[in-house]
Amino acid sequence: MDVLQYSPQNLSEPPSLYPGYVSTVPRSPRQKLVSIPQTLTEVTGPVDFGDRLLRAPVHDMTRQGKGDPIGERIIVSGRILDDRGRPVPHTVVEVWQCNAAGRYIHKKDQHDAPLDPNFTGQGRVVTDAEGRYRFVTIKPGAYPWRNHHNAWRPAHIHFSLFGAGFATRLITQMYFPGDPLIDIDPIAGAVPADARRRMVSRFDIDTTENEWALGYVFDVVLRGRDATPMENPL
């Protein structure tokens, strides 16, 4: 497919205004959205976008420091698919996450948890001909986020997908199976209940490597009835 985008019939998206997710109240639009058609330049260029303009791929996020990061090593893999289950190759997949203690390397994150000098929480790959990607990382921790009293985000990894051009970007979050915080999280709760499960990865014994790391599979469907909920489909 040439353009990384959603079908207007997709009903899995969270609303722009969801009062339980407090920051949507001041930032959600108050007027009807204006659709701006994309030009040929935006949807087809530049050529080899993922290889030429982005930084080098980072498949193993546990090898970016001088030593091993602290936490549970995991493997996250999957496929990027269209609405017919066909692979979407050459998609740039970027991920970012907090460390095992629930802390991001960001000046605004002042959570009372330690930083890990051997973990940046950033990864980047390009899908192969079968639409496959794979990361080695550390399982992120939960963290407080002050949305309401005693609010904690479930463990999650942010995903950013770029298509053939810089203007075709989609963002979502991946959760882990069995996490009790998902059911009480306003961000996850903003997604319609029947679509929320599509944001939860599944444990996979075949992805798991013996005596080394547990494996999780997270397939992303770009459009159609089974589309993965995204934060910015418009």
Side-chain angles (χ1 to χ4, degrees):
M1 62 186 295
D2 294 328
V3 183
L4 197 65
Q5 64 180 9
Y6 267 65
S7 164
Q9 285 74 41
N10 179 32
L11 301 178
S12 65
E13 303 307 330
S16 298
L17 174 61
Y18 189 77
Y21 181 8
V22 174
S23 64
T24 68
V25 176
R27 76 185 187 194
S28 58
R30 293 294 185 268
Q31 299 181 24
K32 184 178 179 180
L33 298 179
V34 176
S35 178
I36 302 177
Q38 293 182 325
T39 66
L40 184 64
T41 299
E42 291 171 318
V43 300
T44 61
V47 178
D48 297 328
F49 165 69
D51 296 324
R52 293 175 55 200
L53 295 188
L54 294 183
R55 289 173 287 175
V58 178
H59 300 265
D60 190 342
M61 297 160 62
T62 69
R63 292 289 179 263
Q64 296 175 282
K66 295 181 179 179
D68 293 330
I70 298 172
E72 178 190 350
R73 182 169 48 228
I74 61 173
I75 301 166
V76 178
S77 66
R79 303 178 72 195
I80 310 302
L81 305 167
D82 68 11
D83 56 336
R84 298 183 182 181
R86 298 174 299 192
V88 184
H90 314 304
T91 299
V92 178
V93 181
E94 293 185 312
V95 297
W96 66 96
Q97 63 170 91
C98 64
N99 63 23
R103 182 87 180 267
Y104 288 95
I105 298 180
H106 194 285
K107 63 182 180 180
K108 290 188 177 181
D109 187 348
Q110 298 299 314
H111 169 36
D112 184 18
L115 289 171
D116 188 335
N118 294 311
F119 189 72
T120 69
Q122 301 175 32
R124 181 181 305 99
V125 299
V126 179
T127 59
D128 64 15
E130 296 299 320
R132 298 186 185 278
Y133 71 88
R134 181 180 184 274
F135 292 98
V136 177
T137 185
I138 296 296
K139 190 172 183 179
Y143 59 83
W145 64 303
R146 299 180 180 178
N147 181 78
H148 54 278
H149 174 68
N150 209 11
W152 290 78
R153 295 271 9 248
H156 63 280
I157 298 177
H158 299 268
F159 274 69
S160 166
L161 310 174
F162 281 108
F166 189 78
T168 56
R169 187 190 190 197
L170 298 172
I171 298 175
T172 190
Q173 296 184 22
M174 183 201 92
Y175 300 101
F176 291 86
D179 190 334
L181 291 174
I182 296 174
D183 290 339
I184 58 174
D185 178 60
I187 295 180
V191 176
D194 59 346
R196 202 173 306 149
R197 59 177 177 78
R198 303 173 204 162
M199 302 171 67
V200 181
S201 61
R202 62 179 174 85
F203 168 73
D204 185 58
I205 193 64
D206 293 325
T207 304
T208 297
E209 295 194 11
N210 184 44
E211 299 186 8
W212 195 70
L214 295 180
Y216 296 88
V217 170
F218 184 60
D219 294 333
V220 178
V221 180
L222 298 177
R223 299 183 301 201
R225 182 181 59 187
D226 298 320
T228 303
M230 296 286 175
E231 297 178 11
N232 58 344
L234 298 176

